[in-house]
Amino acid sequence: MKPSKINGVFQKGNKLFTINPPNCKNIKVYGEALRTFKGMQYRSWNPYRSKLASALTKKDISLPFESSTSVLYLGAASGTTVSHLSDICSEGYIYAVEPSPVVAKTLLKLVKQRNNIIPIIEDANHPDRYTHMVSEVDFIYQDISQRNQAEIFAKNSKLFLKENSEGVIMVKARSIDVAMKPSNAFLMVENQLKEEGMHINELIELSPFEKDHAAIFISSNK
Ligand SMILES: C[S@@+](CC[C@H](N)C(=O)[O-])C[C@H]1O[C@@H](n2cnc3c(N)ncnc32)[C@H](O)[C@@H]1O
C-alpha cells in the first residue's frame, strides 16, 4: 500500500483505497473489500461504482484534498462516493445534497456512523434553499444527470465555492443530448463552464468503467 498523489488516497497495484475511520472498523458501505496494512484498515475504492475512482484509475492526477477539506457534493445518491470523500476529508465536512428521500435512505444510515457528512434532502437547482446549512467549501463535486448540469454547477459555485478553488462535474453524454456524439456533448459542457468563468483543468473520459461519461475538473476564479 503506498500513498498516491492525492492526500488520503492510497494505491496497491492499479487499485485505489481510502482509510476506514477507526469507529467504522469492519463496516463496508457498498460491499467493498477491506484490507489491513500496518494496523490501518483500508477500503477498496471501486472504479465501476464511483466515477471519481474511475477518473483517478484512468489518470494519475492530483487534487487539492487535505484532511480538513470541505466538499459540497451534489447528487449524493446512497453515498458510495460520499463515503470515500468522508474517509479522505476526515476533519472537514461533506455536505451531501440529494433530492430523493428514497435514494438517500442508505446515505442517512451512513451519517449515523460518520459525523463529517451533512445530508441535505434538496434539489441542487435551488441552492438558496440550503444556504443556511452550508458554509463556503474548498471543493464542489457534482454527479447529476441533468441537461442543465453546467448551470447547476455554476449556481452552487457562485454561492459556496471559496475563491481559487476546484471542483469536478461528472457528465453523462446522453443526458445532454441523446443524439449528440459524446465528445461533442463534453465539449458543450466545457464551453458552458468556461462561459461561467471557470477554468478547465482536465477532462477524463471514464470508459471502460462508465460508458459515454467524462469527469471535467475545473478551477474557479471568483
Ligand atoms: C448517478 S447518481 C449519483 C451517484 C453518486 N454520485 C455516487 O457516486 O455515489 C445521480 C444522483 O443525482 C440525483 N439528482 C438528480 N437531480 C438532482 C438535482 N436536481 N439535485 C440534486 N441531486 C439530483 C439523483 O437523485 C441521483 O441520486
Side-chain angles (χ1 to χ4, degrees), residues 49-52 73-83 97-100 103-104 122-126 130 141-146 148 152 170 210 213:
R49 299 289 301 275
S50 166
K51 297 182 189 88
L52 186 53
Y73 194 116
L74 308 170
S78 55
T80 301
T81 304
V82 166
S83 71
V97 179
E98 168 57 51
S100 161
V103 173
E122 265 304 348
D123 180 341
N125 276 296
H126 301 285
Y130 46 86
Y141 186 112
Q142 181 175 304
D143 183 8
I144 294 178
S145 312
Q146 300 274 344
N148 68 332
I152 297 175
M170 302 300 177
E210 291 277 2
H213 282 69

PDB file of all heavy atoms in Angstrom, residues 49-52 73-83 97-100 103-104 122-126 130 141-146 148 152 170 210 213, ligand 1:
ATOM      1  N   ARG A  49     -18.004   1.617  -9.446  1.00  0.00           N
ATOM      2  CA  ARG A  49     -19.095   2.097  -8.596  1.00  0.00           C
ATOM      3  C   ARG A  49     -18.999   3.592  -8.304  1.00  0.00           C
ATOM      4  O   ARG A  49     -19.980   4.191  -7.842  1.00  0.00           O
ATOM      5  CB  ARG A  49     -19.094   1.315  -7.260  1.00  0.00           C
ATOM      6  CG  ARG A  49     -19.302  -0.176  -7.391  1.00  0.00           C
ATOM      7  CD  ARG A  49     -20.732  -0.536  -7.790  1.00  0.00           C
ATOM      8  NE  ARG A  49     -21.701  -0.046  -6.818  1.00  0.00           N
ATOM      9  CZ  ARG A  49     -22.042  -0.687  -5.707  1.00  0.00           C
ATOM     10  NH1 ARG A  49     -21.518  -1.870  -5.445  1.00  0.00           N
ATOM     11  NH2 ARG A  49     -22.915  -0.172  -4.871  1.00  0.00           N
ATOM     12  N   SER A  50     -17.819   4.180  -8.515  1.00  0.00           N
ATOM     13  CA  SER A  50     -17.626   5.594  -8.190  1.00  0.00           C
ATOM     14  C   SER A  50     -16.891   6.280  -9.339  1.00  0.00           C
ATOM     15  O   SER A  50     -15.794   5.850  -9.724  1.00  0.00           O
ATOM     16  CB  SER A  50     -16.799   5.715  -6.908  1.00  0.00           C
ATOM     17  OG  SER A  50     -16.331   7.031  -6.752  1.00  0.00           O
ATOM     18  N   LYS A  51     -17.489   7.357  -9.871  1.00  0.00           N
ATOM     19  CA  LYS A  51     -16.882   7.993 -11.060  1.00  0.00           C
ATOM     20  C   LYS A  51     -15.572   8.691 -10.717  1.00  0.00           C
ATOM     21  O   LYS A  51     -14.695   8.796 -11.569  1.00  0.00           O
ATOM     22  CB  LYS A  51     -17.877   8.959 -11.705  1.00  0.00           C
ATOM     23  CG  LYS A  51     -19.109   8.232 -12.211  1.00  0.00           C
ATOM     24  CD  LYS A  51     -20.091   9.153 -12.897  1.00  0.00           C
ATOM     25  CE  LYS A  51     -21.384   8.419 -13.180  1.00  0.00           C
ATOM     26  NZ  LYS A  51     -22.349   8.474 -12.069  1.00  0.00           N
ATOM     27  N   LEU A  52     -15.429   9.130  -9.465  1.00  0.00           N
ATOM     28  CA  LEU A  52     -14.138   9.744  -9.124  1.00  0.00           C
ATOM     29  C   LEU A  52     -13.045   8.666  -9.126  1.00  0.00           C
ATOM     30  O   LEU A  52     -11.940   8.904  -9.631  1.00  0.00           O
ATOM     31  CB  LEU A  52     -14.204  10.453  -7.761  1.00  0.00           C
ATOM     32  CG  LEU A  52     -12.949  11.244  -7.384  1.00  0.00           C
ATOM     33  CD1 LEU A  52     -12.538  12.242  -8.474  1.00  0.00           C
ATOM     34  CD2 LEU A  52     -13.121  11.970  -6.057  1.00  0.00           C
ATOM     35  N   TYR A  73     -21.302  18.233  -2.177  1.00  0.00           N
ATOM     36  CA  TYR A  73     -21.494  17.099  -3.084  1.00  0.00           C
ATOM     37  C   TYR A  73     -22.927  17.128  -3.597  1.00  0.00           C
ATOM     38  O   TYR A  73     -23.883  16.975  -2.830  1.00  0.00           O
ATOM     39  CB  TYR A  73     -21.236  15.800  -2.312  1.00  0.00           C
ATOM     40  CG  TYR A  73     -21.081  14.585  -3.184  1.00  0.00           C
ATOM     41  CD1 TYR A  73     -19.893  13.890  -3.245  1.00  0.00           C
ATOM     42  CD2 TYR A  73     -22.132  14.127  -3.967  1.00  0.00           C
ATOM     43  CE1 TYR A  73     -19.753  12.765  -4.057  1.00  0.00           C
ATOM     44  CE2 TYR A  73     -21.995  13.016  -4.774  1.00  0.00           C
ATOM     45  CZ  TYR A  73     -20.810  12.348  -4.816  1.00  0.00           C
ATOM     46  OH  TYR A  73     -20.677  11.240  -5.620  1.00  0.00           O
ATOM     47  N   LEU A  74     -23.098  17.341  -4.887  1.00  0.00           N
ATOM     48  CA  LEU A  74     -24.439  17.465  -5.482  1.00  0.00           C
ATOM     49  C   LEU A  74     -24.766  16.174  -6.234  1.00  0.00           C
ATOM     50  O   LEU A  74     -24.043  15.792  -7.167  1.00  0.00           O
ATOM     51  CB  LEU A  74     -24.467  18.663  -6.435  1.00  0.00           C
ATOM     52  CG  LEU A  74     -23.972  19.990  -5.824  1.00  0.00           C
ATOM     53  CD1 LEU A  74     -23.814  21.060  -6.901  1.00  0.00           C
ATOM     54  CD2 LEU A  74     -24.901  20.468  -4.725  1.00  0.00           C
ATOM     55  N   GLY A  75     -25.833  15.505  -5.820  1.00  0.00           N
ATOM     56  CA  GLY A  75     -26.197  14.207  -6.414  1.00  0.00           C
ATOM     57  C   GLY A  75     -25.575  13.079  -5.607  1.00  0.00           C
ATOM     58  O   GLY A  75     -24.893  12.210  -6.144  1.00  0.00           O
ATOM     59  N   ALA A  76     -25.837  13.084  -4.291  1.00  0.00           N
ATOM     60  CA  ALA A  76     -25.133  12.172  -3.370  1.00  0.00           C
ATOM     61  C   ALA A  76     -25.610  10.732  -3.484  1.00  0.00           C
ATOM     62  O   ALA A  76     -24.888   9.808  -3.107  1.00  0.00           O
ATOM     63  CB  ALA A  76     -25.304  12.672  -1.937  1.00  0.00           C
ATOM     64  N   ALA A  77     -26.843  10.533  -3.967  1.00  0.00           N
ATOM     65  CA  ALA A  77     -27.456   9.187  -4.051  1.00  0.00           C
ATOM     66  C   ALA A  77     -27.322   8.460  -2.719  1.00  0.00           C
ATOM     67  O   ALA A  77     -27.560   9.041  -1.667  1.00  0.00           O
ATOM     68  CB  ALA A  77     -26.851   8.415  -5.227  1.00  0.00           C
ATOM     69  N   SER A  78     -26.904   7.183  -2.750  1.00  0.00           N
ATOM     70  CA  SER A  78     -26.865   6.420  -1.492  1.00  0.00           C
ATOM     71  C   SER A  78     -25.553   6.627  -0.736  1.00  0.00           C
ATOM     72  O   SER A  78     -25.368   6.054   0.336  1.00  0.00           O
ATOM     73  CB  SER A  78     -27.090   4.942  -1.792  1.00  0.00           C
ATOM     74  OG  SER A  78     -26.139   4.538  -2.745  1.00  0.00           O
ATOM     75  N   GLY A  79     -24.633   7.408  -1.303  1.00  0.00           N
ATOM     76  CA  GLY A  79     -23.438   7.783  -0.538  1.00  0.00           C
ATOM     77  C   GLY A  79     -22.190   6.981  -0.840  1.00  0.00           C
ATOM     78  O   GLY A  79     -21.223   7.044  -0.080  1.00  0.00           O
ATOM     79  N   THR A  80     -22.170   6.268  -1.968  1.00  0.00           N
ATOM     80  CA  THR A  80     -20.978   5.460  -2.298  1.00  0.00           C
ATOM     81  C   THR A  80     -19.718   6.327  -2.367  1.00  0.00           C
ATOM     82  O   THR A  80     -18.752   6.108  -1.630  1.00  0.00           O
ATOM     83  CB  THR A  80     -21.207   4.729  -3.644  1.00  0.00           C
ATOM     84  OG1 THR A  80     -22.367   3.916  -3.508  1.00  0.00           O
ATOM     85  CG2 THR A  80     -20.026   3.873  -4.023  1.00  0.00           C
ATOM     86  N   THR A  81     -19.737   7.343  -3.242  1.00  0.00           N
ATOM     87  CA  THR A  81     -18.547   8.198  -3.367  1.00  0.00           C
ATOM     88  C   THR A  81     -18.411   9.118  -2.158  1.00  0.00           C
ATOM     89  O   THR A  81     -17.293   9.387  -1.692  1.00  0.00           O
ATOM     90  CB  THR A  81     -18.623   9.020  -4.677  1.00  0.00           C
ATOM     91  OG1 THR A  81     -18.777   8.105  -5.761  1.00  0.00           O
ATOM     92  CG2 THR A  81     -17.369   9.851  -4.899  1.00  0.00           C
ATOM     93  N   VAL A  82     -19.555   9.566  -1.626  1.00  0.00           N
ATOM     94  CA  VAL A  82     -19.525  10.407  -0.423  1.00  0.00           C
ATOM     95  C   VAL A  82     -18.720   9.711   0.683  1.00  0.00           C
ATOM     96  O   VAL A  82     -17.917  10.336   1.375  1.00  0.00           O
ATOM     97  CB  VAL A  82     -20.974  10.688   0.067  1.00  0.00           C
ATOM     98  CG1 VAL A  82     -20.986  11.261   1.472  1.00  0.00           C
ATOM     99  CG2 VAL A  82     -21.691  11.635  -0.887  1.00  0.00           C
ATOM    100  N   SER A  83     -18.896   8.376   0.810  1.00  0.00           N
ATOM    101  CA  SER A  83     -18.215   7.666   1.906  1.00  0.00           C
ATOM    102  C   SER A  83     -16.696   7.741   1.744  1.00  0.00           C
ATOM    103  O   SER A  83     -15.973   7.886   2.728  1.00  0.00           O
ATOM    104  CB  SER A  83     -18.687   6.208   1.971  1.00  0.00           C
ATOM    105  OG  SER A  83     -18.197   5.455   0.878  1.00  0.00           O
ATOM    106  N   VAL A  97     -25.940  16.643  -0.983  1.00  0.00           N
ATOM    107  CA  VAL A  97     -27.265  17.065  -1.454  1.00  0.00           C
ATOM    108  C   VAL A  97     -27.877  15.983  -2.343  1.00  0.00           C
ATOM    109  O   VAL A  97     -27.250  15.545  -3.320  1.00  0.00           O
ATOM    110  CB  VAL A  97     -27.159  18.401  -2.246  1.00  0.00           C
ATOM    111  CG1 VAL A  97     -28.528  18.839  -2.751  1.00  0.00           C
ATOM    112  CG2 VAL A  97     -26.512  19.495  -1.394  1.00  0.00           C
ATOM    113  N   GLU A  98     -29.070  15.553  -1.977  1.00  0.00           N
ATOM    114  CA  GLU A  98     -29.773  14.524  -2.756  1.00  0.00           C
ATOM    115  C   GLU A  98     -31.277  14.793  -2.600  1.00  0.00           C
ATOM    116  O   GLU A  98     -31.772  14.870  -1.478  1.00  0.00           O
ATOM    117  CB  GLU A  98     -29.385  13.132  -2.227  1.00  0.00           C
ATOM    118  CG  GLU A  98     -30.219  11.983  -2.722  1.00  0.00           C
ATOM    119  CD  GLU A  98     -30.256  11.828  -4.237  1.00  0.00           C
ATOM    120  OE1 GLU A  98     -29.209  11.806  -4.879  1.00  0.00           O
ATOM    121  OE2 GLU A  98     -31.385  11.750  -4.780  1.00  0.00           O
ATOM    122  N   PRO A  99     -32.020  14.953  -3.713  1.00  0.00           N
ATOM    123  CA  PRO A  99     -33.428  15.332  -3.574  1.00  0.00           C
ATOM    124  C   PRO A  99     -34.356  14.173  -3.223  1.00  0.00           C
ATOM    125  O   PRO A  99     -35.448  14.392  -2.713  1.00  0.00           O
ATOM    126  CB  PRO A  99     -33.780  15.881  -4.957  1.00  0.00           C
ATOM    127  CG  PRO A  99     -32.831  15.214  -5.894  1.00  0.00           C
ATOM    128  CD  PRO A  99     -31.588  14.920  -5.124  1.00  0.00           C
ATOM    129  N   SER A 100     -33.931  12.937  -3.514  1.00  0.00           N
ATOM    130  CA  SER A 100     -34.853  11.821  -3.327  1.00  0.00           C
ATOM    131  C   SER A 100     -34.674  11.172  -1.943  1.00  0.00           C
ATOM    132  O   SER A 100     -33.643  10.537  -1.684  1.00  0.00           O
ATOM    133  CB  SER A 100     -34.616  10.766  -4.425  1.00  0.00           C
ATOM    134  OG  SER A 100     -35.161   9.547  -4.015  1.00  0.00           O
ATOM    135  N   VAL A 103     -33.864   7.406  -2.306  1.00  0.00           N
ATOM    136  CA  VAL A 103     -32.473   7.122  -2.677  1.00  0.00           C
ATOM    137  C   VAL A 103     -31.548   7.402  -1.487  1.00  0.00           C
ATOM    138  O   VAL A 103     -30.556   6.691  -1.263  1.00  0.00           O
ATOM    139  CB  VAL A 103     -32.078   7.997  -3.898  1.00  0.00           C
ATOM    140  CG1 VAL A 103     -30.605   7.863  -4.210  1.00  0.00           C
ATOM    141  CG2 VAL A 103     -32.898   7.617  -5.125  1.00  0.00           C
ATOM    142  N   ALA A 104     -31.894   8.434  -0.703  1.00  0.00           N
ATOM    143  CA  ALA A 104     -30.999   8.870   0.380  1.00  0.00           C
ATOM    144  C   ALA A 104     -31.080   8.002   1.633  1.00  0.00           C
ATOM    145  O   ALA A 104     -30.346   8.245   2.586  1.00  0.00           O
ATOM    146  CB  ALA A 104     -31.315  10.323   0.740  1.00  0.00           C
ATOM    147  N   GLU A 122     -32.518  17.974  -0.807  1.00  0.00           N
ATOM    148  CA  GLU A 122     -32.925  19.149  -1.586  1.00  0.00           C
ATOM    149  C   GLU A 122     -32.548  18.977  -3.047  1.00  0.00           C
ATOM    150  O   GLU A 122     -31.755  18.107  -3.401  1.00  0.00           O
ATOM    151  CB  GLU A 122     -32.224  20.407  -1.045  1.00  0.00           C
ATOM    152  CG  GLU A 122     -33.022  21.208  -0.031  1.00  0.00           C
ATOM    153  CD  GLU A 122     -34.407  21.652  -0.536  1.00  0.00           C
ATOM    154  OE1 GLU A 122     -34.691  21.539  -1.742  1.00  0.00           O
ATOM    155  OE2 GLU A 122     -35.210  22.097   0.287  1.00  0.00           O
ATOM    156  N   ASP A 123     -33.082  19.870  -3.861  1.00  0.00           N
ATOM    157  CA  ASP A 123     -32.797  19.932  -5.289  1.00  0.00           C
ATOM    158  C   ASP A 123     -31.665  20.947  -5.502  1.00  0.00           C
ATOM    159  O   ASP A 123     -31.792  22.105  -5.084  1.00  0.00           O
ATOM    160  CB  ASP A 123     -34.104  20.396  -5.975  1.00  0.00           C
ATOM    161  CG  ASP A 123     -33.977  20.513  -7.469  1.00  0.00           C
ATOM    162  OD1 ASP A 123     -32.849  20.604  -7.972  1.00  0.00           O
ATOM    163  OD2 ASP A 123     -35.026  20.544  -8.138  1.00  0.00           O
ATOM    164  N   ALA A 124     -30.586  20.521  -6.150  1.00  0.00           N
ATOM    165  CA  ALA A 124     -29.425  21.398  -6.341  1.00  0.00           C
ATOM    166  C   ALA A 124     -29.708  22.556  -7.305  1.00  0.00           C
ATOM    167  O   ALA A 124     -28.887  23.469  -7.438  1.00  0.00           O
ATOM    168  CB  ALA A 124     -28.242  20.583  -6.837  1.00  0.00           C
ATOM    169  N   ASN A 125     -30.881  22.537  -7.969  1.00  0.00           N
ATOM    170  CA  ASN A 125     -31.288  23.691  -8.788  1.00  0.00           C
ATOM    171  C   ASN A 125     -31.628  24.888  -7.911  1.00  0.00           C
ATOM    172  O   ASN A 125     -31.759  25.996  -8.410  1.00  0.00           O
ATOM    173  CB  ASN A 125     -32.560  23.350  -9.579  1.00  0.00           C
ATOM    174  CG  ASN A 125     -32.253  22.612 -10.854  1.00  0.00           C
ATOM    175  OD1 ASN A 125     -31.609  23.159 -11.744  1.00  0.00           O
ATOM    176  ND2 ASN A 125     -32.691  21.371 -10.935  1.00  0.00           N
ATOM    177  N   HIS A 126     -31.854  24.632  -6.618  1.00  0.00           N
ATOM    178  CA  HIS A 126     -32.290  25.695  -5.707  1.00  0.00           C
ATOM    179  C   HIS A 126     -31.353  25.824  -4.509  1.00  0.00           C
ATOM    180  O   HIS A 126     -31.756  25.554  -3.370  1.00  0.00           O
ATOM    181  CB  HIS A 126     -33.722  25.400  -5.223  1.00  0.00           C
ATOM    182  CG  HIS A 126     -34.696  25.294  -6.341  1.00  0.00           C
ATOM    183  ND1 HIS A 126     -35.161  26.398  -7.030  1.00  0.00           N
ATOM    184  CD2 HIS A 126     -35.248  24.214  -6.936  1.00  0.00           C
ATOM    185  CE1 HIS A 126     -35.974  26.003  -7.990  1.00  0.00           C
ATOM    186  NE2 HIS A 126     -36.043  24.685  -7.958  1.00  0.00           N
ATOM    187  N   TYR A 130     -30.680  25.841   0.723  1.00  0.00           N
ATOM    188  CA  TYR A 130     -29.800  25.233   1.739  1.00  0.00           C
ATOM    189  C   TYR A 130     -28.620  26.134   2.132  1.00  0.00           C
ATOM    190  O   TYR A 130     -27.666  25.671   2.736  1.00  0.00           O
ATOM    191  CB  TYR A 130     -29.342  23.819   1.333  1.00  0.00           C
ATOM    192  CG  TYR A 130     -28.857  23.622  -0.096  1.00  0.00           C
ATOM    193  CD1 TYR A 130     -27.541  23.868  -0.465  1.00  0.00           C
ATOM    194  CD2 TYR A 130     -29.729  23.169  -1.085  1.00  0.00           C
ATOM    195  CE1 TYR A 130     -27.103  23.655  -1.759  1.00  0.00           C
ATOM    196  CE2 TYR A 130     -29.301  22.958  -2.389  1.00  0.00           C
ATOM    197  CZ  TYR A 130     -27.988  23.193  -2.720  1.00  0.00           C
ATOM    198  OH  TYR A 130     -27.548  22.986  -4.001  1.00  0.00           O
ATOM    199  N   TYR A 141     -18.298  18.791  -5.889  1.00  0.00           N
ATOM    200  CA  TYR A 141     -18.379  17.547  -6.663  1.00  0.00           C
ATOM    201  C   TYR A 141     -19.810  17.438  -7.152  1.00  0.00           C
ATOM    202  O   TYR A 141     -20.748  17.494  -6.359  1.00  0.00           O
ATOM    203  CB  TYR A 141     -18.066  16.373  -5.728  1.00  0.00           C
ATOM    204  CG  TYR A 141     -17.968  15.025  -6.397  1.00  0.00           C
ATOM    205  CD1 TYR A 141     -16.745  14.373  -6.474  1.00  0.00           C
ATOM    206  CD2 TYR A 141     -19.078  14.377  -6.926  1.00  0.00           C
ATOM    207  CE1 TYR A 141     -16.649  13.110  -7.080  1.00  0.00           C
ATOM    208  CE2 TYR A 141     -18.980  13.131  -7.527  1.00  0.00           C
ATOM    209  CZ  TYR A 141     -17.761  12.512  -7.595  1.00  0.00           C
ATOM    210  OH  TYR A 141     -17.658  11.270  -8.186  1.00  0.00           O
ATOM    211  N   GLN A 142     -19.992  17.306  -8.448  1.00  0.00           N
ATOM    212  CA  GLN A 142     -21.364  17.188  -8.956  1.00  0.00           C
ATOM    213  C   GLN A 142     -21.510  15.964  -9.842  1.00  0.00           C
ATOM    214  O   GLN A 142     -20.733  15.760 -10.783  1.00  0.00           O
ATOM    215  CB  GLN A 142     -21.745  18.454  -9.738  1.00  0.00           C
ATOM    216  CG  GLN A 142     -23.185  18.376 -10.254  1.00  0.00           C
ATOM    217  CD  GLN A 142     -23.635  19.649 -10.936  1.00  0.00           C
ATOM    218  OE1 GLN A 142     -23.577  20.725 -10.352  1.00  0.00           O
ATOM    219  NE2 GLN A 142     -24.071  19.539 -12.164  1.00  0.00           N
ATOM    220  N   ASP A 143     -22.518  15.169  -9.541  1.00  0.00           N
ATOM    221  CA  ASP A 143     -22.824  13.982 -10.355  1.00  0.00           C
ATOM    222  C   ASP A 143     -24.343  13.914 -10.501  1.00  0.00           C
ATOM    223  O   ASP A 143     -25.014  13.180  -9.786  1.00  0.00           O
ATOM    224  CB  ASP A 143     -22.267  12.736  -9.649  1.00  0.00           C
ATOM    225  CG  ASP A 143     -22.487  11.462 -10.458  1.00  0.00           C
ATOM    226  OD1 ASP A 143     -22.931  11.555 -11.616  1.00  0.00           O
ATOM    227  OD2 ASP A 143     -22.208  10.373  -9.920  1.00  0.00           O
ATOM    228  N   ILE A 144     -24.851  14.762 -11.390  1.00  0.00           N
ATOM    229  CA  ILE A 144     -26.299  14.855 -11.595  1.00  0.00           C
ATOM    230  C   ILE A 144     -26.550  14.737 -13.093  1.00  0.00           C
ATOM    231  O   ILE A 144     -26.024  15.524 -13.864  1.00  0.00           O
ATOM    232  CB  ILE A 144     -26.816  16.244 -11.123  1.00  0.00           C
ATOM    233  CG1 ILE A 144     -26.668  16.398  -9.612  1.00  0.00           C
ATOM    234  CG2 ILE A 144     -28.253  16.451 -11.550  1.00  0.00           C
ATOM    235  CD1 ILE A 144     -27.103  17.755  -9.093  1.00  0.00           C
ATOM    236  N   SER A 145     -27.340  13.741 -13.478  1.00  0.00           N
ATOM    237  CA  SER A 145     -27.581  13.580 -14.916  1.00  0.00           C
ATOM    238  C   SER A 145     -28.720  14.488 -15.354  1.00  0.00           C
ATOM    239  O   SER A 145     -29.849  14.017 -15.528  1.00  0.00           O
ATOM    240  CB  SER A 145     -27.941  12.121 -15.211  1.00  0.00           C
ATOM    241  OG  SER A 145     -27.038  11.277 -14.588  1.00  0.00           O
ATOM    242  N   GLN A 146     -28.440  15.744 -15.517  1.00  0.00           N
ATOM    243  CA  GLN A 146     -29.466  16.710 -15.945  1.00  0.00           C
ATOM    244  C   GLN A 146     -28.901  17.523 -17.094  1.00  0.00           C
ATOM    245  O   GLN A 146     -27.706  17.798 -17.130  1.00  0.00           O
ATOM    246  CB  GLN A 146     -29.807  17.682 -14.793  1.00  0.00           C
ATOM    247  CG  GLN A 146     -30.347  17.027 -13.548  1.00  0.00           C
ATOM    248  CD  GLN A 146     -31.846  16.817 -13.602  1.00  0.00           C
ATOM    249  OE1 GLN A 146     -32.513  17.406 -14.430  1.00  0.00           O
ATOM    250  NE2 GLN A 146     -32.365  15.949 -12.752  1.00  0.00           N
ATOM    251  N   ASN A 148     -29.218  20.626 -17.666  1.00  0.00           N
ATOM    252  CA  ASN A 148     -28.694  21.939 -17.251  1.00  0.00           C
ATOM    253  C   ASN A 148     -27.611  21.809 -16.178  1.00  0.00           C
ATOM    254  O   ASN A 148     -27.485  22.650 -15.297  1.00  0.00           O
ATOM    255  CB  ASN A 148     -29.837  22.828 -16.733  1.00  0.00           C
ATOM    256  CG  ASN A 148     -30.415  22.325 -15.425  1.00  0.00           C
ATOM    257  OD1 ASN A 148     -30.365  21.130 -15.153  1.00  0.00           O
ATOM    258  ND2 ASN A 148     -30.947  23.206 -14.604  1.00  0.00           N
ATOM    259  N   ILE A 152     -26.367  24.329 -13.007  1.00  0.00           N
ATOM    260  CA  ILE A 152     -26.487  23.944 -11.588  1.00  0.00           C
ATOM    261  C   ILE A 152     -25.124  24.109 -10.903  1.00  0.00           C
ATOM    262  O   ILE A 152     -25.014  24.654  -9.801  1.00  0.00           O
ATOM    263  CB  ILE A 152     -26.977  22.475 -11.436  1.00  0.00           C
ATOM    264  CG1 ILE A 152     -28.380  22.306 -12.027  1.00  0.00           C
ATOM    265  CG2 ILE A 152     -26.947  22.036  -9.989  1.00  0.00           C
ATOM    266  CD1 ILE A 152     -28.903  20.859 -12.028  1.00  0.00           C
ATOM    267  N   MET A 170     -19.324  15.465 -13.214  1.00  0.00           N
ATOM    268  CA  MET A 170     -19.384  14.196 -13.940  1.00  0.00           C
ATOM    269  C   MET A 170     -20.475  14.326 -15.000  1.00  0.00           C
ATOM    270  O   MET A 170     -21.633  14.610 -14.656  1.00  0.00           O
ATOM    271  CB  MET A 170     -19.734  13.048 -12.990  1.00  0.00           C
ATOM    272  CG  MET A 170     -18.752  12.892 -11.838  1.00  0.00           C
ATOM    273  SD  MET A 170     -17.089  12.550 -12.465  1.00  0.00           S
ATOM    274  CE  MET A 170     -16.153  12.506 -10.939  1.00  0.00           C
ATOM    275  N   GLU A 210     -17.345   3.642 -17.023  1.00  0.00           N
ATOM    276  CA  GLU A 210     -18.656   4.255 -17.278  1.00  0.00           C
ATOM    277  C   GLU A 210     -18.654   4.695 -18.729  1.00  0.00           C
ATOM    278  O   GLU A 210     -17.914   5.610 -19.096  1.00  0.00           O
ATOM    279  CB  GLU A 210     -18.861   5.503 -16.389  1.00  0.00           C
ATOM    280  CG  GLU A 210     -19.011   5.216 -14.921  1.00  0.00           C
ATOM    281  CD  GLU A 210     -20.428   4.829 -14.519  1.00  0.00           C
ATOM    282  OE1 GLU A 210     -21.319   4.743 -15.389  1.00  0.00           O
ATOM    283  OE2 GLU A 210     -20.624   4.593 -13.317  1.00  0.00           O
ATOM    284  N   HIS A 213     -19.286   8.707 -20.426  1.00  0.00           N
ATOM    285  CA  HIS A 213     -19.243   9.671 -19.319  1.00  0.00           C
ATOM    286  C   HIS A 213     -17.860  10.330 -19.306  1.00  0.00           C
ATOM    287  O   HIS A 213     -16.868   9.717 -19.720  1.00  0.00           O
ATOM    288  CB  HIS A 213     -19.401   8.995 -17.955  1.00  0.00           C
ATOM    289  CG  HIS A 213     -20.802   8.612 -17.602  1.00  0.00           C
ATOM    290  ND1 HIS A 213     -21.485   7.616 -18.244  1.00  0.00           N
ATOM    291  CD2 HIS A 213     -21.635   9.093 -16.637  1.00  0.00           C
ATOM    292  CE1 HIS A 213     -22.685   7.487 -17.708  1.00  0.00           C
ATOM    293  NE2 HIS A 213     -22.808   8.377 -16.729  1.00  0.00           N
TER     294      HIS A 213
HETATM  295  C1  LIG B   1     -25.571   8.908 -10.782  1.00  0.00           C
HETATM  296  S1  LIG B   1     -26.360   9.236  -9.289  1.00  0.00           S
HETATM  297  C2  LIG B   1     -25.070   9.746  -8.231  1.00  0.00           C
HETATM  298  C3  LIG B   1     -24.142   8.659  -7.738  1.00  0.00           C
HETATM  299  C4  LIG B   1     -23.206   9.160  -6.651  1.00  0.00           C
HETATM  300  N1  LIG B   1     -22.602  10.402  -7.068  1.00  0.00           N
HETATM  301  C5  LIG B   1     -22.108   8.218  -6.262  1.00  0.00           C
HETATM  302  O1  LIG B   1     -21.058   8.184  -6.921  1.00  0.00           O
HETATM  303  O2  LIG B   1     -22.254   7.520  -5.256  1.00  0.00           O
HETATM  304  C6  LIG B   1     -27.163  10.766  -9.621  1.00  0.00           C
HETATM  305  C7  LIG B   1     -27.958  11.296  -8.437  1.00  0.00           C
HETATM  306  O3  LIG B   1     -28.290  12.662  -8.713  1.00  0.00           O
HETATM  307  C8  LIG B   1     -29.536  12.910  -8.088  1.00  0.00           C
HETATM  308  N2  LIG B   1     -30.123  14.127  -8.666  1.00  0.00           N
HETATM  309  C9  LIG B   1     -30.844  14.256  -9.816  1.00  0.00           C
HETATM  310  N3  LIG B   1     -31.270  15.531  -9.968  1.00  0.00           N
HETATM  311  C10 LIG B   1     -30.781  16.225  -8.908  1.00  0.00           C
HETATM  312  C11 LIG B   1     -30.872  17.569  -8.508  1.00  0.00           C
HETATM  313  N4  LIG B   1     -31.547  18.465  -9.228  1.00  0.00           N
HETATM  314  N5  LIG B   1     -30.248  17.943  -7.356  1.00  0.00           N
HETATM  315  C12 LIG B   1     -29.527  17.040  -6.621  1.00  0.00           C
HETATM  316  N6  LIG B   1     -29.401  15.744  -6.976  1.00  0.00           N
HETATM  317  C13 LIG B   1     -30.034  15.335  -8.091  1.00  0.00           C
HETATM  318  C14 LIG B   1     -30.344  11.642  -8.368  1.00  0.00           C
HETATM  319  O4  LIG B   1     -31.438  11.521  -7.464  1.00  0.00           O
HETATM  320  C15 LIG B   1     -29.285  10.567  -8.195  1.00  0.00           C
HETATM  321  O5  LIG B   1     -29.305  10.032  -6.897  1.00  0.00           O
END
